[in-house]
Amino acid sequence: MKIKSIMQTALAAGLLVGLGLPAPAKAGEDEKTMDWKDLPPAVQATITANANGGTVTEVESETKKGKVVYEADVKTAGKKEIEIKVAADGTLIKVKAGDEDKDSDKK
């Protein structure tokens, strides 16, 4: 009887602890929000050139397979949202507007 009680307590404690922990990140991936001033100048230039006069609302850096990719969320003058993905060297990877994807020829 005592063992059953201990097992139930351990199980309950484990569930409580498990529910309070964030989901583990995928192996090899790390994502964080960035300040504009901390972006490499080439990345800033590419985002600005592809924002079409819109406002950058958020920028994140993400490491995938050892490579850093910057993702900028932009709100255009027409209130549409686009996402711009840029490599660490400033190379445009993708511009995603709404439901459509426009892949860059520069990969």
Side-chain angles (χ1 to χ4, degrees), residues 82-100:
I82 62 173
E83 181 180 87
I84 302 169
K85 289 187 179 185
V86 182
D89 65 357
T91 303
L92 179 65
I93 296 172
K94 182 188 287 189
V95 175
K96 181 180 176 184
D99 292 334
E100 75 181 59

Side-chain angles (χ1 to χ4, degrees), residues 12-78:
L15 286 173
L16 289 175
V17 170
L19 292 174
L21 295 176
K26 293 181 182 176
E29 291 188 15
D30 183 30
E31 191 174 295
K32 64 180 179 176
T33 302
M34 301 288 297
D35 287 331
W36 181 260
K37 65 181 177 15
D38 296 330
L39 297 175
V43 172
Q44 289 180 1
T46 302
I47 292 171
T48 301
N50 289 277
N52 299 324
T55 302
V56 177
T57 58
E58 181 180 44
V59 181
E60 293 179 340
S61 70
E62 186 173 4
T63 304
K64 289 184 177 180
K65 299 179 184 176
K67 294 185 179 185
V68 177
V69 174
Y70 295 92
E71 298 179 5
D73 293 332
V74 177
K75 187 160 282 204
T76 66

